[in-house]
C-alpha cells in the first residue's frame, strides 16, 4: 500500500485536528503518502483531495474544528453517491481511507467496506454514543464547556433565586447531559433514555425552593422527550407555586467549538496513530477506539448494528446527590 486518504465527517469535534495530524505524520513516517479529503463524504464524491505533508498539519493540534472541513452528505447514502466516491478514490490512487467521525460517518465507512474498499474508522463525536469506544474524541472538551456554562449560570441564578433550564447537545444520547449534571451539581437532569414526568420535576423544584435552595439547575438533553422548550412552557403554567423564577439557556454549538483540552489532544493523537497501525498491518473494516484505557479495534459491522448503552446507575446517583 502506497497512498491513503483521511477525512473528517459529520458534526465536528474538538480534537479532530489532532487525529488528522497523527494520521498524516504517522502515515508519512511509515512510508505512506497521505491525501486529505475535504468536506467529508461530500468532498470525496466531488474528488476534493490533495496530498498532505508534515508542515501542512503543523500548528493545528490546539485548534478546534477540522482543517479538512466536514459535512453531512445525504448523497453518499445513495448507491450512486457511494459508487462515485469509490470512483474518485480509484482515480486518485488512494488505496485505503481513514474516516474520523461518529455514528453516521462510521456507517458510511462500513458501506465502503461492504463494497470491498479498505477503511479504518476513528471514533470522534461529542455525543459519546458510538459503540466500540468508551469515550470518543471531543466528549471531554464539550463536557468541560458545558460545565463552565453551568458554573457561571449557578452564580447568577443564586443572586436572583432563579431556576435555569440548560439544554445541552447529544442527539438521542443523554451522556453529555448526565455527566454535566453530576459534575455540575445540578438539581435535576432530563435525558432521552428515561421518561421523566414534567410534573415530578416541578414538584422537585418546589421542594428545593422550600428547603431554602438559592437556585436550581436543570440540565436537559436536546433529545429528551420533555426538551427545554416544552419544559419551560410547562413551568410557566406552574409559575405561581414554583417559587423560583425561570430562565432558559441553550448551549448548542458552543459545545463543539474552541480548543480541545489535553485529554482530547492525547486521545485524538493515540487514535489517529492507532488507525495508521491498523492500515499498515492490513486490519481493515474496523473502528479505532479506546476501550478500558487501551486503543482497540471493533469491527464496523458490530459498530453499525450495536447501540451504546448509557450507565443508568449514574442517573440514580445524580438524583441521590441532588439534595
Ligand atoms: O453529533 C454531534 C451533534 O452536535 C449533536 O449533538 C447534535 O444533535 C448535532 O450534531 C447537530 O448537528 P448540526 O451541527 O448539523 O446542526
Amino acid at each position: 500500500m502506497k497512498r491513503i486518504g483521511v477525512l473528517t465527517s459529520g458534526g465536528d469535534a474538538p480534537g479532530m485536528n489532532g487525529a488528522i495530524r497523527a494520521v498524516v505524520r504517522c502515515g508519512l513516517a511509515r512510508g505512506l503518502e497521505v491525501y486529505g479529503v475535504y468536506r467529508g463524504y461530500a468532498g470525496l464524491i466531488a474528488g476534493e483531495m490533495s496530498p498532505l505533508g508534515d508542515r501542512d498539519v503543523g500548528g493545528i493540534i490546539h485548534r478546534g474544528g477540522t482543517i479538512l472541513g466536514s459535512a453531512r452528505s445525504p448523497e453518499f447514502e445513495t448507491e450512486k453517491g457511494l459508487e462515485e466516491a469509490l470512483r474518485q478514490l480509484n482515480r486518485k490512487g488512494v488505496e485505503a481511507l481513514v474516516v474520523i467521525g461518529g455514528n453516521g460517518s462510521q456507517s458510511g465507512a462500513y458501506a465502503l467496506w461492504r463494497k470491498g474498499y479498505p477503511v479504518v474508522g476513528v471514533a470522534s463525536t461529542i455525543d459519546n454514543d458510538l459503540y466500540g469506544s468508551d469515550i470518543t474524541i471531543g466528549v471531554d472538551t464539550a463536557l468541560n464547556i458545558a460545565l463552565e456554562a453551568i458554573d457561571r449560570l449557578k452564580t447568577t441564578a443564586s443572586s436572583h433565586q432563579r431556576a435555569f433550564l440548560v439544554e445541552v447537545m447529544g442527539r438521542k444520547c443523554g451522556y453529555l447531559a448526565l455527566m454535566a449534571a453530576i459534575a455540575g451539581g445540578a438539581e435535576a437532569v432530563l435525558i432521552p433514555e428515561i421518561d421523566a414526568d414534567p410534573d415530578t420535576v416541578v414538584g422537585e423544584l418546589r421542594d428545593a425552593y422550600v428547603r431554602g435552595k438559592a437556585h436550581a439547575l436543570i440540565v436537559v438533553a436536546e433529545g429528551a422527550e420533555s426538551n427545554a422548550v416544552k419544559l419551560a412552557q410547562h413551568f410557566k403554567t406552574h409559575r405561581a407555586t414554583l417559587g423560583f423564577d425561570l430562565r432558559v439557556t441553550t448551549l448548542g454549538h458552543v459545545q463543539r467549538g474552541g480548543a480541545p483540552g489535553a485529554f482530547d489532544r492525547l486521545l485524538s493523537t493515540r487514535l489517529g496513530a492507532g488507525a495508521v497501525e491498523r492500515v499498515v498491518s492490513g486490519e481493515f473494516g474496523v473502528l479505532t477506539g479506546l476501550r478500558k484505557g487501551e486503543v482497540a479495534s471493533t469491527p464496523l459491522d458490530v459498530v453499525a448494528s450495536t447501540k451504546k448503552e448509557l450507565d443508568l446507575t449514574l442517573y440514580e446517583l445524580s438524583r441521590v446527590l441532588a439534595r
Side-chain angles (χ1 to χ4, degrees):
M1 180 149 311
K2 266 181 60 192
R3 183 176 297 166
I4 66 169
V6 56
L7 64 76
T8 49
S9 157
D12 65 348
M16 276 183 160
N17 280 330
I20 296 167
R21 176 176 175 269
V23 170
V24 171
R25 291 194 174 166
C26 294
L28 294 173
R30 292 299 217 131
L32 297 165
E33 289 174 8
V34 186
Y35 273 47
V37 180
Y38 300 91
R39 294 193 307 114
Y41 292 119
L44 179 59
I45 290 170
E48 296 169 15
M49 52 186 107
S50 60
L52 294 173
D54 285 323
R55 296 278 59 79
D56 295 317
V57 292
I60 65 167
I61 194 166
H62 60 287
R63 278 167 53 190
T66 155
I67 59 158
L68 294 176
S70 192
R72 302 193 191 278
S73 171
E75 200 187 342
F76 184 72
E77 289 169 28
T78 66
E79 186 61 22
K80 192 165 158 267
L82 190 57
E83 290 298 340
E84 187 50 33
L86 287 166
R87 233 187 324 273
Q88 292 291 357
L89 288 163
N90 288 333
R91 192 173 299 156
K92 305 274 184 189
V94 176
E95 295 161 279
L97 187 66
V98 175
V99 174
I100 304 167
N103 265 316
S105 312
Q106 302 309 335
S107 296
Y110 181 45
L112 286 170
W113 174 238
R114 278 203 315 265
K115 292 277 182 191
Y117 187 84
V119 285
V120 174
V122 171
S124 173
T125 164
I126 66 161
D127 299 340
N128 208 22
D129 60 348
L130 186 61
Y131 187 81
S133 198
D134 296 341
I135 189 153
T136 49
I137 295 169
V139 173
D140 184 69
T141 305
L143 191 50
N144 276 301
I145 295 168
L147 273 181
E148 191 195 330
I150 288 171
D151 291 349
R152 285 171 187 267
L153 289 173
K154 256 190 181 176
T155 59
T156 173
S158 294
S159 307
H160 294 269
Q161 215 173 11
R162 281 177 174 158
F164 269 82
L165 286 173
V166 190
E167 185 178 289
V168 302
M169 277 189 165
R171 210 180 283 278
K172 291 279 163 225
C173 175
Y175 182 90
L176 272 183
L178 182 55
M179 298 306 142
I182 294 173
E187 273 61 37
V189 57
L190 282 97
I191 53 176
E193 289 81 355
I194 291 187
D195 249 349
D197 175 13
D199 282 332
T200 310
V201 184
V202 168
E204 284 171 356
L205 290 199
R206 194 180 295 131
D207 289 352
Y209 185 81
V210 170
R211 290 204 310 278
K213 284 215 176 192
H215 64 248
L217 254 289
I218 306 114
V219 180
V220 189
E222 65 174 348
E225 174 65 25
S226 292
N227 61 28
V229 175
K230 280 193 207 162
L231 215 53
Q233 222 27 60
H234 191 75
F235 281 16
K236 260 189 205 147
T237 61
H238 291 80
R239 175 67 191 90
T241 56
L242 196 58
F244 295 112
D245 193 11
L246 184 80
R247 293 289 186 276
V248 180
T249 300
T250 302
L251 296 185
H253 291 81
V254 169
Q255 290 154 103
R256 284 212 330 234
F263 182 87
D264 280 318
R265 294 185 202 190
L266 295 170
L267 177 65
S268 58
T269 300
R270 290 177 73 193
L271 297 190
V276 170
E277 286 315 304
R278 279 148 185 81
V279 169
V280 170
S281 62
E283 186 189 354
F284 293 110
V286 294
L287 175 78
T288 316
L290 195 75
R291 290 206 318 255
K292 298 194 183 352
E294 302 290 334
V295 177
S297 306
T298 308
L300 284 173
D301 61 331
V302 178
V303 173
S305 60
T306 317
K307 188 172 182 294
K308 184 174 183 177
E309 297 298 338
L310 188 61
D311 179 359
L312 292 179
T313 59
L314 290 173
Y315 176 78
E316 296 310 324
L317 178 62
S318 76
R319 292 177 61 78
V320 173
L321 295 173
R323 295 167 64 82

